[in-house]
Amino acid sequence: MDVSIIIINYNTVDLTIQCVHSIYEKTYGVDFEIIIVDNASSDDSVIRIKRTFPLVTLIESKENLGFGRANNLGVRSAVGKYLFLLNSDTVLINNAIEVFWKFMETTSAKVGVCGGTLYDSYQRENGSYGTFPTVKSILQKAINRESSNLYYSPKQNSALKMNGYCKVDYVLGADMFLSRALYNDMDGFDPIFFMYYEESDLQKRMVEKGYENYVLGTAQIVHLVNVSVNKLPTNKKRMIVDKSMLLYMKKHHSIHIYLVVKYAYLLLELLKSFRGKYTLRDSYQYLRALLET
């Protein structure tokens, strides 16, 4: 088997079905299997996936494992030489899987993860990669939470358009193509992350071992971004994101940097609360979550 495609489903059955249909429609030239891990969905995901795709391997988790742990569960059943970890809120535009496979089979580079160029539903580029978080970028994000491009590099965007590929710090978790042997060697995603920053952490560990991560311009995928997470209340979502961010900072930076970032976030949250941006109840829940991290 060339590629094991792993998709995590959590109450996104319509999107998951659309995603799988696009895989069957666009993919040729490689042998692949599809493994779907259902994260204890409360909708009719399991019944509909079984009925629509009887040849797909469906793993039913009894609890919501989050992103990283659910992928780890799916990988245990994978038999492909390569893994393609694909979000349920994606649709393949072209034969992206064969593009990834050929790149990995022919390149002389020591590749960790490669990913494609992601687009929104209007075919506009949608952010495909990022730079590893730093104290500066994290604090910028805290001040301007609505900004969506703080982790993206104009220099890398130019290289991608000029060369058709570019080396990046990390590929977005929506579409990660990598060797199953390397994934297992890295022990997969760190289970301390429920959601967010797990792909940054995994690829940071790869880079520290001498691997390089790439985005390929000719592998094209629509990414609708955070569909299942956007169903959560805003306060719940930002607690999940920021707890994962603090775990990343604690893991990859000194304790002094971690504490600076943590208490800077707490101070900024208090200021936002005083200015009426969040309710006192939301701010209390958020502050408690961060203090417990």
Side-chain angles (χ1 to χ4, degrees):
M1 185 72 66
D2 295 321
V3 183
S4 295
I5 304 164
I6 299 176
I7 301 168
I8 310 305
N9 178 79
Y10 178 65
N11 293 327
T12 56
V13 63
D14 289 327
L15 290 173
T16 299
I17 288 173
Q18 178 179 253
C19 175
V20 175
H21 275 310
S22 79
I23 294 170
Y24 284 126
E25 179 184 346
K26 300 294 184 181
T27 307
Y28 53 89
V30 291
D31 294 324
F32 65 90
E33 63 173 348
I34 299 176
I35 299 170
I36 297 175
V37 179
D38 184 75
N39 256 340
S41 295
S42 57
D43 61 8
D44 57 351
S45 288
V46 170
I47 294 173
R48 290 182 59 192
I49 291 169
K50 284 182 177 178
R51 185 177 62 210
T52 309
F53 304 112
L55 298 182
V56 165
T57 300
L58 178 63
I59 299 173
E60 300 175 51
S61 173
K62 298 186 184 304
E63 61 175 313
N64 184 356
L65 299 172
F67 182 78
R69 289 172 61 202
N71 271 293
N72 289 346
L73 177 61
V75 171
R76 291 177 204 160
S77 299
V79 297
K81 178 180 179 181
Y82 296 101
L83 303 172
F84 186 37
L85 312 183
L86 185 64
N87 270 22
S88 63
D89 58 352
T90 58
V91 176
L92 301 190
I93 298 174
N94 63 3
N95 192 4
I97 295 174
E98 187 190 42
V99 172
F100 294 135
W101 176 75
K102 283 185 175 179
F103 178 77
M104 296 291 275
E105 287 286 286
T106 59
T107 184
S108 59
K110 189 178 179 183
V111 180
V113 173
C114 64
T117 304
L118 302 180
Y119 299 86
D120 66 15
S121 56
Y122 299 99
Q123 300 290 302
R124 298 174 301 198
E125 290 189 24
N126 203 20
S128 308
Y129 61 91
T131 55
F132 292 127
T134 63
V135 175
K136 180 180 178 181
S137 66
I138 288 290
L139 294 180
Q140 282 179 323
K141 183 175 180 291
I143 295 168
N144 183 17
R145 186 175 291 274
E146 300 305 316
S147 178
S148 62
N149 62 350
L150 288 173
Y151 290 3
Y152 298 100
S153 161
K155 182 178 179 181
Q156 287 167 313
N157 279 332
S158 298
L160 181 60
K161 291 176 180 177
M162 183 180 300
N163 303 321
Y165 65 91
C166 68
K167 187 171 77 170
V168 299
D169 278 6
Y170 71 88
V171 173
L172 207 67
D175 67 319
M176 299 174 58
F177 194 99
L178 69 161
S179 156
R180 180 164 61 98
L182 176 59
Y183 187 93
N184 290 334
D185 185 55
M186 303 298 300
D187 292 324
F189 289 113
D190 190 331
I192 66 170
F193 298 96
F194 179 77
M195 193 180 301
Y196 294 105
Y197 289 88
E198 61 279 284
E199 81 268 48
S200 309
D201 167 68
L202 176 61
Q203 294 174 72
K204 177 75 169 176
R205 289 186 278 129
M206 289 179 179
V207 168
E208 289 172 349
K209 289 197 170 188
Y211 291 89
E212 298 175 336
N213 304 310
Y214 288 86
V215 165
L216 311 182
T218 52
Q220 300 174 337
I221 301 170
V222 171
H223 180 213
L224 301 176
V225 184
N226 292 333
V227 173
S228 60
V229 178
N230 284 341
K231 296 177 182 179
L232 296 172
T234 301
N235 199 49
K236 178 71 172 176
K237 178 182 174 182
R238 68 194 182 104
M239 281 193 290
I240 292 172
V241 172
D242 291 346
K243 284 181 71 173
S244 293
M245 176 272 298
L246 287 178
L247 288 170
Y248 177 92
M249 297 302 287
K250 186 174 184 179
K251 183 172 180 178
H252 293 285
H253 295 273
S254 71
I255 187 64
H256 305 291
I257 290 177
Y258 162 70
L259 291 174
V260 166
V261 171
K262 180 173 182 175
Y263 289 105
Y265 255 72
L266 294 174
L267 178 59
L268 287 167
E269 181 65 20
L270 287 172
L271 292 173
K272 290 174 184 176
S273 178
F274 290 140
R275 292 171 181 170
K277 186 168 182 178
Y278 299 115
T279 66
L280 289 174
R281 182 173 180 272
D282 283 350
S283 291
Y284 170 75
Q285 290 177 337
Y286 175 89
L287 293 169
R288 181 176 177 180
L290 259 65
L291 286 169
E292 290 175 349
T293 301

